[in-house]
Amino acid sequence: MPKFAANLSTLFTELSFLDRFAAARENGFDAVEFLFPYACEPEWITGRLARYNLELVLHNLPPGDWAAGDRGMACDPRRIGEFQDSVELALDYAEELGVKQLHCMAGKLPPHVPRERAHATYVTNLRFAAAALKEKGIALLIEPINDRDMPGYFLTGSRQAAAVIAECGVDNLFLQFDIYHMQRMEGDLAHSLRELLPLIRHIQLADVPGRHEPGTGEINYPYLFRLLDELGYDGWIGCEYNPRAGTLEGLGWRDAAKAWTGGTA
């Protein structure tokens, strides 16, 4: 039976961010993830994690100016110093929050920057970040994101990500496989999961179309959950979806997942 972590950036959004931790526990989640913690003091979050006995499984490095359209900066040769500063900030939070893996957003291909130069910058920055994280026992993750939801994003394919990981040549860089994004970009999900499982450290889910909860779209989640059990995947699956009709109203899929896999709570 897969283990599900509530993504507090997309679930329980009718509540303030800090109140979502209690909601996650009250609704049966043992773990949480979110995009960014940087608007909060670390102790505000650690207090909620301890109070509600929740594991934090993932958050992202700072993305730059999100409101201005930044979606990471790791591939931008003009922002290497800023990227290195962002790694330091992320590590400060990660150590206090006790998280053991961080996601580095690649960013959009900068205007007037050749793709080859962006790629070289991306590899260099990933090696820098991986080395800094390794000192603290933290894994670094990269995630391909579909270019229809995020036009211009640099990392869009699972094989592209695998090639980058191989080129970086470090032992704490892994793949974050988002089922929603890879269905939109590639399809053939079962084959990808089988092929890439040795590189996969974290999985996220949502259905297509709409990015809603499993069971609302075209993805055969009963089959994929059984496959992940068959393959022996023992990591967390982050529930990074937009509830179609409210978080609580949409949580029934988790009970269905027990029947799909023959698992127990």
Side-chain angles (χ1 to χ4, degrees):
M1 174 69 184
K3 303 184 300 182
F4 300 113
N7 188 300
L8 300 186
S9 297
T10 61
L11 301 186
F12 308 109
T13 56
E14 64 277 9
L15 303 172
S16 71
F17 176 69
L18 291 174
D19 287 339
R20 297 174 199 173
F21 293 83
R25 169 50 66 196
E26 290 166 3
N27 287 280
F29 287 100
D30 295 323
V32 297
E33 63 179 32
F34 42 74
L35 292 178
F36 312 110
Y38 309 108
C40 296
E41 296 296 327
E43 58 268 25
W44 300 353
I45 297 174
T46 55
R48 267 64 174 186
L49 294 171
R51 183 184 310 171
Y52 302 113
N53 190 27
L54 291 166
E55 180 179 350
L56 176 60
V57 300
L58 178 77
H59 69 74
N60 294 350
L61 272 66
D65 189 342
W66 189 271
D70 283 346
R71 294 297 181 266
M73 63 190 102
C75 73
D76 193 336
R78 304 165 302 183
R79 303 175 71 177
I80 292 174
E82 185 181 354
F83 176 80
Q84 292 180 353
D85 290 343
S86 80
V87 173
E88 182 177 350
L89 177 60
L91 276 174
D92 288 343
Y93 270 81
E95 286 192 272
E96 290 213 42
L97 301 182
V99 67
K100 293 302 181 183
Q101 50 191 18
L102 296 174
H103 169 221
C104 174
M105 298 190 74
K108 300 177 182 179
L109 181 65
H112 313 301
V113 172
R115 189 168 186 87
E116 294 78 8
R117 186 180 178 203
H119 173 86
T121 301
Y122 186 41
V123 169
T124 298
N125 278 335
L126 289 176
R127 287 173 176 160
F128 172 88
L133 269 59
K134 186 172 183 177
E135 291 182 6
K136 307 297 182 180
I138 298 173
L140 181 65
L141 309 184
I142 58 174
E143 175 194 14
I145 294 176
N146 85 79
D147 58 7
R148 283 180 280 178
D149 288 2
M150 201 172 287
Y153 197 72
F154 183 75
L155 183 67
T156 58
S158 60
R159 277 72 182 176
Q160 179 192 2
V164 167
I165 291 170
E167 183 175 352
C168 286
V170 296
D171 61 6
N172 65 325
L173 177 62
F174 298 97
L175 176 60
Q176 179 172 313
F177 190 96
D178 189 301
I179 293 171
Y180 166 80
H181 288 304
M182 292 303 90
Q183 174 66 4
R184 296 208 77 189
M185 286 301 298
E186 301 174 348
D188 206 8
L189 295 168
H191 175 73
S192 293
L193 289 168
R194 289 182 184 277
E195 177 186 351
L196 298 170
L197 189 69
L199 298 179
I200 295 173
R201 182 58 64 90
H202 188 62
I203 293 174
Q204 292 176 323
L205 62 73
D207 219 327
V208 175
R211 203 171 187 175
H212 301 312
E213 48 268 80
T216 60
E218 67 191 29
I219 299 176
N220 188 344
Y221 272 104
Y223 174 76
L224 290 182
F225 289 159
R226 290 193 297 269
L227 175 64
L228 288 171
D229 278 352
E230 172 193 317
L231 295 174
Y233 176 74
D234 60 359
W236 290 96
I237 300 179
C239 301
E240 192 183 39
Y241 63 82
N242 301 313
R244 185 168 60 176
T247 303
L248 300 184
E249 293 81 356
L251 287 177
W253 68 268
R254 290 181 308 163
D255 293 329
K258 299 172 192 174
W260 297 340
T261 61
T264 59

